[in-house]
PDB file of all heavy atoms in Angstrom:
ATOM      1  N   TYR A 984       3.636 -25.878   9.387  1.00 86.00           N
ATOM      2  CA  TYR A 984       3.835 -26.994   8.470  1.00 86.00           C
ATOM      3  C   TYR A 984       4.402 -28.204   9.207  1.00 86.00           C
ATOM      4  O   TYR A 984       3.926 -29.338   9.014  1.00 86.00           O
ATOM      5  CB  TYR A 984       4.771 -26.569   7.336  1.00 86.00           C
ATOM      6  CG  TYR A 984       5.094 -27.682   6.364  1.00 86.00           C
ATOM      7  CD1 TYR A 984       4.182 -28.065   5.386  1.00 86.00           C
ATOM      8  CD2 TYR A 984       6.324 -28.349   6.432  1.00 86.00           C
ATOM      9  CE1 TYR A 984       4.472 -29.088   4.495  1.00 86.00           C
ATOM     10  CE2 TYR A 984       6.626 -29.371   5.539  1.00 86.00           C
ATOM     11  CZ  TYR A 984       5.699 -29.729   4.583  1.00 86.00           C
ATOM     12  OH  TYR A 984       5.986 -30.751   3.708  1.00 86.00           O
ATOM     13  N   SER A 985       5.384 -27.976  10.054  1.00 86.00           N
ATOM     14  CA  SER A 985       5.994 -29.083  10.816  1.00 86.00           C
ATOM     15  C   SER A 985       4.991 -29.702  11.777  1.00 86.00           C
ATOM     16  O   SER A 985       4.920 -30.932  11.908  1.00 86.00           O
ATOM     17  CB  SER A 985       7.207 -28.575  11.598  1.00 86.00           C
ATOM     18  OG  SER A 985       8.163 -28.009  10.734  1.00 86.00           O
ATOM     19  N   PHE A 986       4.191 -28.873  12.430  1.00 83.00           N
ATOM     20  CA  PHE A 986       3.166 -29.368  13.354  1.00 83.00           C
ATOM     21  C   PHE A 986       2.150 -30.213  12.610  1.00 83.00           C
ATOM     22  O   PHE A 986       1.716 -31.273  13.103  1.00 83.00           O
ATOM     23  CB  PHE A 986       2.483 -28.186  14.022  1.00 83.00           C
ATOM     24  CG  PHE A 986       1.493 -28.562  15.086  1.00 83.00           C
ATOM     25  CD1 PHE A 986       1.916 -28.886  16.364  1.00 83.00           C
ATOM     26  CD2 PHE A 986       0.132 -28.601  14.806  1.00 83.00           C
ATOM     27  CE1 PHE A 986       1.000 -29.248  17.347  1.00 83.00           C
ATOM     28  CE2 PHE A 986      -0.796 -28.948  15.777  1.00 83.00           C
ATOM     29  CZ  PHE A 986      -0.342 -29.275  17.052  1.00 83.00           C
ATOM     30  N   GLU A 987       1.774 -29.788  11.411  1.00 82.00           N
ATOM     31  CA  GLU A 987       0.814 -30.541  10.610  1.00 82.00           C
ATOM     32  C   GLU A 987       1.405 -31.869  10.144  1.00 82.00           C
ATOM     33  O   GLU A 987       0.717 -32.897  10.149  1.00 82.00           O
ATOM     34  CB  GLU A 987       0.396 -29.691   9.396  1.00 82.00           C
ATOM     35  CG  GLU A 987      -0.739 -30.302   8.589  1.00 82.00           C
ATOM     36  CD  GLU A 987      -1.164 -29.414   7.450  1.00 82.00           C
ATOM     37  OE1 GLU A 987      -0.508 -29.495   6.389  1.00 82.00           O
ATOM     38  OE2 GLU A 987      -2.116 -28.636   7.621  1.00 82.00           O
ATOM     39  N   GLN A 988       2.677 -31.857   9.759  1.00 80.00           N
ATOM     40  CA  GLN A 988       3.316 -33.101   9.331  1.00 80.00           C
ATOM     41  C   GLN A 988       3.398 -34.111  10.469  1.00 80.00           C
ATOM     42  O   GLN A 988       3.194 -35.319  10.247  1.00 80.00           O
ATOM     43  CB  GLN A 988       4.735 -32.785   8.809  1.00 80.00           C
ATOM     44  CG  GLN A 988       4.772 -32.038   7.494  1.00 80.00           C
ATOM     45  CD  GLN A 988       4.037 -32.771   6.386  1.00 80.00           C
ATOM     46  OE1 GLN A 988       4.324 -33.920   6.073  1.00 80.00           O
ATOM     47  NE2 GLN A 988       3.063 -32.104   5.781  1.00 80.00           N
ATOM     48  N   MET A 989       3.657 -33.650  11.671  1.00 80.00           N
ATOM     49  CA  MET A 989       3.679 -34.557  12.819  1.00 80.00           C
ATOM     50  C   MET A 989       2.297 -35.136  13.075  1.00 80.00           C
ATOM     51  O   MET A 989       2.156 -36.310  13.434  1.00 80.00           O
ATOM     52  CB  MET A 989       4.187 -33.825  14.064  1.00 80.00           C
ATOM     53  CG  MET A 989       5.684 -33.514  14.019  1.00 80.00           C
ATOM     54  SD  MET A 989       6.325 -32.858  15.574  1.00 80.00           S
ATOM     55  CE  MET A 989       5.575 -31.234  15.595  1.00 80.00           C
ATOM     56  N   ALA A 990       1.265 -34.316  12.876  1.00 77.00           N
ATOM     57  CA  ALA A 990      -0.103 -34.809  13.056  1.00 77.00           C
ATOM     58  C   ALA A 990      -0.427 -35.876  12.021  1.00 77.00           C
ATOM     59  O   ALA A 990      -1.077 -36.883  12.322  1.00 77.00           O
ATOM     60  CB  ALA A 990      -1.089 -33.641  12.943  1.00 77.00           C
ATOM     61  N   ILE A 991       0.036 -35.663  10.782  1.00 76.00           N
ATOM     62  CA  ILE A 991      -0.190 -36.649   9.727  1.00 76.00           C
ATOM     63  C   ILE A 991       0.517 -37.955  10.051  1.00 76.00           C
ATOM     64  O   ILE A 991      -0.041 -39.055   9.893  1.00 76.00           O
ATOM     65  CB  ILE A 991       0.298 -36.099   8.371  1.00 76.00           C
ATOM     66  CG1 ILE A 991      -0.580 -34.915   7.923  1.00 76.00           C
ATOM     67  CG2 ILE A 991       0.286 -37.190   7.298  1.00 76.00           C
ATOM     68  CD1 ILE A 991      -0.077 -34.211   6.689  1.00 76.00           C
ATOM     69  N   GLN A 992       1.751 -37.861  10.551  1.00 77.00           N
ATOM     70  CA  GLN A 992       2.525 -39.066  10.899  1.00 77.00           C
ATOM     71  C   GLN A 992       1.868 -39.841  12.053  1.00 77.00           C
ATOM     72  O   GLN A 992       1.956 -41.058  12.116  1.00 77.00           O
ATOM     73  CB  GLN A 992       3.947 -38.669  11.270  1.00 77.00           C
ATOM     74  CG  GLN A 992       4.766 -38.180  10.088  1.00 77.00           C
ATOM     75  CD  GLN A 992       6.151 -37.709  10.492  1.00 77.00           C
ATOM     76  OE1 GLN A 992       6.523 -37.794  11.660  1.00 77.00           O
ATOM     77  NE2 GLN A 992       6.920 -37.202   9.510  1.00 77.00           N
ATOM     78  N   ARG A 993       1.212 -39.118  12.947  1.00 75.00           N
ATOM     79  CA  ARG A 993       0.520 -39.781  14.065  1.00 75.00           C
ATOM     80  C   ARG A 993      -0.808 -40.366  13.619  1.00 75.00           C
ATOM     81  O   ARG A 993      -1.487 -41.033  14.396  1.00 75.00           O
ATOM     82  CB  ARG A 993       0.289 -38.794  15.193  1.00 75.00           C
ATOM     83  CG  ARG A 993       1.559 -38.364  15.937  1.00 75.00           C
ATOM     84  CD  ARG A 993       1.209 -37.678  17.252  1.00 75.00           C
ATOM     85  NE  ARG A 993       0.436 -36.462  17.040  1.00 75.00           N
ATOM     86  CZ  ARG A 993       0.957 -35.235  16.925  1.00 75.00           C
ATOM     87  NH1 ARG A 993       2.273 -35.092  16.979  1.00 75.00           N
ATOM     88  NH2 ARG A 993       0.183 -34.195  16.743  1.00 75.00           N
ATOM     89  N   GLY A 994      -1.184 -40.115  12.373  1.00 71.00           N
ATOM     90  CA  GLY A 994      -2.428 -40.658  11.864  1.00 71.00           C
ATOM     91  C   GLY A 994      -3.669 -39.918  12.316  1.00 71.00           C
ATOM     92  O   GLY A 994      -4.771 -40.463  12.274  1.00 71.00           O
ATOM     93  N   GLU A 995      -3.513 -38.659  12.732  1.00 69.00           N
ATOM     94  CA  GLU A 995      -4.656 -37.880  13.194  1.00 69.00           C
ATOM     95  C   GLU A 995      -5.542 -37.509  12.014  1.00 69.00           C
ATOM     96  O   GLU A 995      -5.069 -37.140  10.946  1.00 69.00           O
ATOM     97  CB  GLU A 995      -4.192 -36.621  13.918  1.00 69.00           C
ATOM     98  CG  GLU A 995      -3.467 -36.915  15.228  1.00 69.00           C
ATOM     99  CD  GLU A 995      -3.070 -35.648  15.949  1.00 69.00           C
ATOM    100  OE1 GLU A 995      -3.484 -34.552  15.491  1.00 69.00           O
ATOM    101  OE2 GLU A 995      -2.362 -35.742  16.956  1.00 69.00           O
ATOM    102  N   GLU A 996      -6.831 -37.604  12.219  1.00 62.00           N
ATOM    103  CA  GLU A 996      -7.806 -37.271  11.177  1.00 62.00           C
ATOM    104  C   GLU A 996      -8.189 -35.799  11.284  1.00 62.00           C
ATOM    105  O   GLU A 996      -8.508 -35.299  12.360  1.00 62.00           O
ATOM    106  CB  GLU A 996      -9.048 -38.143  11.319  1.00 62.00           C
ATOM    107  CG  GLU A 996      -8.785 -39.621  11.067  1.00 62.00           C
ATOM    108  CD  GLU A 996      -8.445 -39.896   9.606  1.00 62.00           C
ATOM    109  OE1 GLU A 996      -8.873 -39.100   8.747  1.00 62.00           O
ATOM    110  OE2 GLU A 996      -7.739 -40.888   9.357  1.00 62.00           O
ATOM    111  N   ARG A 997      -8.137 -35.120  10.174  1.00 62.00           N
ATOM    112  CA  ARG A 997      -8.580 -33.725  10.106  1.00 62.00           C
ATOM    113  C   ARG A 997      -9.433 -33.539   8.864  1.00 62.00           C
ATOM    114  O   ARG A 997      -9.339 -34.287   7.904  1.00 62.00           O
ATOM    115  CB  ARG A 997      -7.390 -32.761  10.048  1.00 62.00           C
ATOM    116  CG  ARG A 997      -6.570 -32.710  11.340  1.00 62.00           C
ATOM    117  CD  ARG A 997      -5.564 -31.586  11.250  1.00 62.00           C
ATOM    118  NE  ARG A 997      -4.718 -31.497  12.422  1.00 62.00           N
ATOM    119  CZ  ARG A 997      -3.804 -30.555  12.612  1.00 62.00           C
ATOM    120  NH1 ARG A 997      -3.618 -29.628  11.695  1.00 62.00           N
ATOM    121  NH2 ARG A 997      -3.064 -30.556  13.717  1.00 62.00           N
ATOM    122  N   PHE A 999      -9.184 -31.126   6.783  1.00 57.00           N
ATOM    123  CA  PHE A 999      -8.326 -30.698   5.674  1.00 57.00           C
ATOM    124  C   PHE A 999      -6.925 -30.416   6.217  1.00 57.00           C
ATOM    125  O   PHE A 999      -6.731 -30.198   7.408  1.00 57.00           O
ATOM    126  CB  PHE A 999      -8.884 -29.434   5.004  1.00 57.00           C
ATOM    127  CG  PHE A 999      -9.154 -28.311   5.956  1.00 57.00           C
ATOM    128  CD1 PHE A 999      -8.147 -27.430   6.311  1.00 57.00           C
ATOM    129  CD2 PHE A 999     -10.410 -28.129   6.508  1.00 57.00           C
ATOM    130  CE1 PHE A 999      -8.389 -26.394   7.190  1.00 57.00           C
ATOM    131  CE2 PHE A 999     -10.656 -27.095   7.398  1.00 57.00           C
ATOM    132  CZ  PHE A 999      -9.652 -26.225   7.734  1.00 57.00           C
ATOM    133  N   PHE A1000      -5.970 -30.433   5.318  1.00 63.00           N
ATOM    134  CA  PHE A1000      -4.592 -30.074   5.622  1.00 63.00           C
ATOM    135  C   PHE A1000      -4.156 -28.996   4.642  1.00 63.00           C
ATOM    136  O   PHE A1000      -4.412 -29.080   3.443  1.00 63.00           O
ATOM    137  CB  PHE A1000      -3.675 -31.284   5.511  1.00 63.00           C
ATOM    138  CG  PHE A1000      -3.866 -32.306   6.592  1.00 63.00           C
ATOM    139  CD1 PHE A1000      -4.604 -33.465   6.358  1.00 63.00           C
ATOM    140  CD2 PHE A1000      -3.317 -32.113   7.840  1.00 63.00           C
ATOM    141  CE1 PHE A1000      -4.785 -34.409   7.352  1.00 63.00           C
ATOM    142  CE2 PHE A1000      -3.487 -33.046   8.848  1.00 63.00           C
ATOM    143  CZ  PHE A1000      -4.228 -34.195   8.612  1.00 63.00           C
ATOM    144  N   TYR A1001      -3.461 -27.973   5.149  1.00 71.00           N
ATOM    145  CA  TYR A1001      -3.006 -26.881   4.307  1.00 71.00           C
ATOM    146  C   TYR A1001      -1.702 -27.217   3.580  1.00 71.00           C
ATOM    147  O   TYR A1001      -1.413 -26.694   2.522  1.00 71.00           O
ATOM    148  CB  TYR A1001      -2.812 -25.604   5.125  1.00 71.00           C
ATOM    149  CG  TYR A1001      -4.110 -25.000   5.596  1.00 71.00           C
ATOM    150  CD1 TYR A1001      -4.478 -25.036   6.932  1.00 71.00           C
ATOM    151  CD2 TYR A1001      -4.959 -24.394   4.677  1.00 71.00           C
ATOM    152  CE1 TYR A1001      -5.671 -24.470   7.355  1.00 71.00           C
ATOM    153  CE2 TYR A1001      -6.156 -23.830   5.092  1.00 71.00           C
ATOM    154  CZ  TYR A1001      -6.505 -23.868   6.430  1.00 71.00           C
ATOM    155  OH  TYR A1001      -7.681 -23.312   6.843  1.00 71.00           O
ATOM    156  N   ARG A1002      -0.887 -28.072   4.219  1.00 66.00           N
ATOM    157  CA  ARG A1002       0.405 -28.487   3.655  1.00 66.00           C
ATOM    158  C   ARG A1002       1.233 -27.258   3.229  1.00 66.00           C
ATOM    159  O   ARG A1002       1.474 -26.376   4.028  1.00 66.00           O
ATOM    160  CB  ARG A1002       0.198 -29.468   2.499  1.00 66.00           C
ATOM    161  CG  ARG A1002      -0.522 -30.746   2.944  1.00 66.00           C
ATOM    162  CD  ARG A1002      -0.642 -31.741   1.802  1.00 66.00           C
ATOM    163  NE  ARG A1002      -1.440 -32.905   2.207  1.00 66.00           N
ATOM    164  CZ  ARG A1002      -0.932 -33.955   2.852  1.00 66.00           C
ATOM    165  NH1 ARG A1002       0.345 -34.010   3.150  1.00 66.00           N
ATOM    166  NH2 ARG A1002      -1.709 -34.974   3.194  1.00 66.00           N
TER     167      ARG A1002
END
Side-chain angles (χ1 to χ4, degrees):
Y984 177 78
S985 302
F986 185 81
E987 188 177 84
Q988 290 303 304
M989 289 188 289
I991 293 173
Q992 291 176 2
R993 290 195 299 267
E995 293 183 7
E996 294 292 334
R997 292 189 182 183
F999 53 86
F1000 290 100
Y1001 289 110
R1002 299 183 185 275

